[in-house]
Amino acid sequence: MTEPWIRFLLPVPEQTLPFYIDSIGYNNHEQFMSRPEGYPCYHWLHTASGSGIIHLESHSVTLPENHGILLLPGVAHEYEAVGERWSTYYLTFNGQLVNETAASLGIRFSSVYHWHIGSAFKQVLPSMISGVEAYRDITGLDHSIEVYRFLVELKKHGKVDNQPSFYSLKERLLPLLQFLESEYRDPDLDMNTMAAILDISARQLNSLFRKAFGYTPYQYLISLRLLKAKQFLIMDRRLTVQSVSAMTGFREASHFIATFRKAEGMTPEKFRLMHGRSPDNAAAARQ
């Protein structure tokens, strides 16, 4: 951004939306700001260049380049530059589903986030500003999508307390994910085999997977097998349930059926019928 400052104030949509933008902008020379009663909306602030410090009720945190903070509505705060110049981007937003969505994504409020210098996250707010500048969204629907995208990108690229970002965890696990995509049919796959792909222990693999996805590698494998099974059931109706079971890494058809029923709430045969006629039913219909 070459402009000294950019600020867009957007009207609150008349209809209820899960998210909406209150304001968004860029400040090339951030000044001292004091809000003893906080801001009425959720408030994101991050450093584009220079450094600043934000004072909360219980502590103060420094925001160097590629660092930002997300505040809840009503959180008292002050901030100011450290040094001669502090350039910032900011986004204030609200909506009925902000808290739920942030919780489901594991996003922490009043925490400092940081990201790699070359991260795609640094382009999220400039892109949003360009969109707001180019297009007046009267309904607020497109802006609602943009707020959700911002939260997802923060989840993917933001790191808190030196913990790895979701993106870096996924990159670390990518060789295993690719291996499972091609070898899910093998009924002998176990944790030790999967851990060996990444040259780590089974315990470390379990920890990495839980941090990245919230469940274990074995749960991921079962989910992948069931996804493949559903594809086979629909795409090739000549295959028996027992054949699909063997093709997707289950040793026994009974185990496959029980696992499928638990996950989908119905048997494989009922799932197949729900998505179209079985070969026998189709033949009978033609007679």
Side-chain angles (χ1 to χ4, degrees), residues 12 23 33 74 76 79 91 106 126 139 141 159 172 174 191 199 207 210 241-242 247 257 276:
V12 177
S23 70
M33 174 63 70
Y79 53 80
L91 171 68
T139 66
L141 295 173
K159 301 190 291 184
R172 178 76 174 91
L174 187 58
M191 283 289 291
D199 195 28
S207 177
R210 285 189 177 278
V241 170
Q242 187 169 0
M247 292 168 63
I257 294 170

Side-chain angles (χ1 to χ4, degrees), residues 112-131:
V112 175
Y113 288 83
H114 61 101
W115 48 94
H116 295 300
I117 294 175
S119 171
F121 183 75
K122 67 187 302 180
Q123 295 302 321
V124 172
L125 256 62
S127 175
M128 290 176 67
I129 290 173
S130 297

Side-chain angles (χ1 to χ4, degrees), residues 260-272:
F260 195 100
R261 187 201 299 270
K262 182 178 180 181
E264 301 296 327
M266 66 185 76
T267 65
E269 282 292 2
K270 187 172 182 180
F271 175 85
R272 171 178 271 169

Side-chain angles (χ1 to χ4, degrees), residues 165-204:
S165 67
F166 172 81
Y167 182 81
S168 63
L169 286 171
K170 184 180 177 182
E171 288 292 296
R172 178 76 174 91
L173 291 167
L174 187 58
L176 174 59
L177 299 179
Q178 293 172 334
F179 172 80
L180 293 177
E181 185 67 29
S182 63
E183 302 298 327
Y184 67 88
R185 300 175 179 86
D186 184 358
D188 293 323
L189 274 178
D190 58 18
M191 283 289 291
N192 290 329
T193 303
M194 289 188 276
I197 300 299
L198 300 180
D199 195 28
I200 58 178
S201 69
R203 182 176 180 180
Q204 288 173 311

Side-chain angles (χ1 to χ4, degrees), residues 2 32 44 46 49 82 101 106 114 127 134-135 142 151 168 173 175 201-202 211 213 218 229 232 235 267 275:
T2 57
F32 174 77
W44 168 260
H46 85 247
S49 63
V82 175
T101 303
H114 61 101
S127 175
Y135 169 59
D142 290 330
L151 292 172
S168 63
L173 291 167
S201 69
K211 286 180 181 178
F213 303 115
Y218 182 73
F232 287 133
M235 299 305 295
T267 65
H275 287 272

Side-chain angles (χ1 to χ4, degrees), residues 213-234:
F213 303 115
Y215 47 81
T216 67
Y218 182 73
Q219 288 172 320
Y220 175 84
L221 176 59
I222 295 300
S223 177
L224 177 61
R225 285 172 170 169
L226 291 176
L227 174 62
K228 299 296 183 181
K230 288 190 284 186
Q231 293 172 350
F232 287 133
L233 287 166
I234 295 172

Side-chain angles (χ1 to χ4, degrees), residues 9-269:
L9 292 170
L10 282 74
V12 177
E14 291 187 8
Q15 73 271 41
T16 301
L17 292 175
F19 316 99
Y20 65 85
I21 297 176
D22 167 70
S23 70
I24 186 171
Y26 167 81
N27 195 331
N28 190 43
H29 204 324
E30 189 67 71
Q31 303 295 319
F32 174 77
M33 174 63 70
S34 177
R35 296 191 178 105
E37 296 182 0
Y39 195 82
C41 297
Y42 297 86
H43 183 200
W44 168 260
L45 179 72
H46 85 247
T47 298
S49 63
S51 184
I53 186 168
I54 183 163
H55 306 284
L56 304 174
E57 287 184 329
S58 59
H59 63 292
S60 299
V61 293
T62 302
L63 297 180
E65 190 171 347
N66 299 312
H67 284 64
I69 190 168
L70 182 60
L71 299 174
L72 284 163
V75 172
H77 62 273
E78 294 180 347
Y79 53 80
E80 58 188 320
V82 175
E84 294 184 2
R85 185 182 295 273
W86 181 32
S87 300
T88 65
Y89 285 98
Y90 58 88
L91 171 68
T92 61
F93 57 96
N94 217 324
Q96 285 200 327
L97 296 183
V98 176
N99 261 332
E100 286 182 42
T101 303
S104 68
L105 292 172
I107 291 174
R108 305 182 200 170
F109 291 99
S110 300
S111 294
V112 175
Y113 288 83
H114 61 101
W115 48 94
H116 295 300
I117 294 175
S119 171
F121 183 75
K122 67 187 302 180
Q123 295 302 321
V124 172
L125 256 62
S127 175
M128 290 176 67
I129 290 173
S130 297
V132 169
E133 189 172 24
Y135 169 59
R136 185 185 176 195
D137 178 19
I138 299 175
T139 66
L141 295 173
D142 290 330
H143 293 161
S144 185
I145 294 171
E146 288 299 303
V147 173
Y148 179 70
R149 185 171 75 90
F150 163 77
L151 292 172
V152 170
E153 293 295 332
L154 180 60
K155 165 66 176 178
K156 286 169 60 178
H157 299 283
K159 301 190 291 184
V160 180
D161 299 331
N162 295 319
Q163 293 295 315
S165 67
F166 172 81
Y167 182 81
S168 63
L169 286 171
K170 184 180 177 182
E171 288 292 296
R172 178 76 174 91
L173 291 167
L174 187 58
L176 174 59
L177 299 179
Q178 293 172 334
F179 172 80
L180 293 177
E181 185 67 29
S182 63
E183 302 298 327
Y184 67 88
R185 300 175 179 86
D186 184 358
D188 293 323
L189 274 178
D190 58 18
M191 283 289 291
N192 290 329
T193 303
M194 289 188 276
I197 300 299
L198 300 180
D199 195 28
I200 58 178
S201 69
R203 182 176 180 180
Q204 288 173 311
L205 174 61
N206 201 52
S207 177
L208 275 176
F209 236 87
R210 285 189 177 278
K211 286 180 181 178
F213 303 115
Y215 47 81
T216 67
Y218 182 73
Q219 288 172 320
Y220 175 84
L221 176 59
I222 295 300
S223 177
L224 177 61
R225 285 172 170 169
L226 291 176
L227 174 62
K228 299 296 183 181
K230 288 190 284 186
Q231 293 172 350
F232 287 133
L233 287 166
I234 295 172
M235 299 305 295
D236 191 346
R237 298 177 181 276
R238 295 167 299 178
L239 292 172
T240 65
V241 170
Q242 187 169 0
S243 297
V244 172
S245 171
M247 292 168 63
T248 52
F250 291 90
R251 294 187 185 278
E252 302 290 341
S254 59
H255 180 217
F256 167 61
I257 294 170
T259 304
F260 195 100
R261 187 201 299 270
K262 182 178 180 181
E264 301 296 327
M266 66 185 76
T267 65
E269 282 292 2

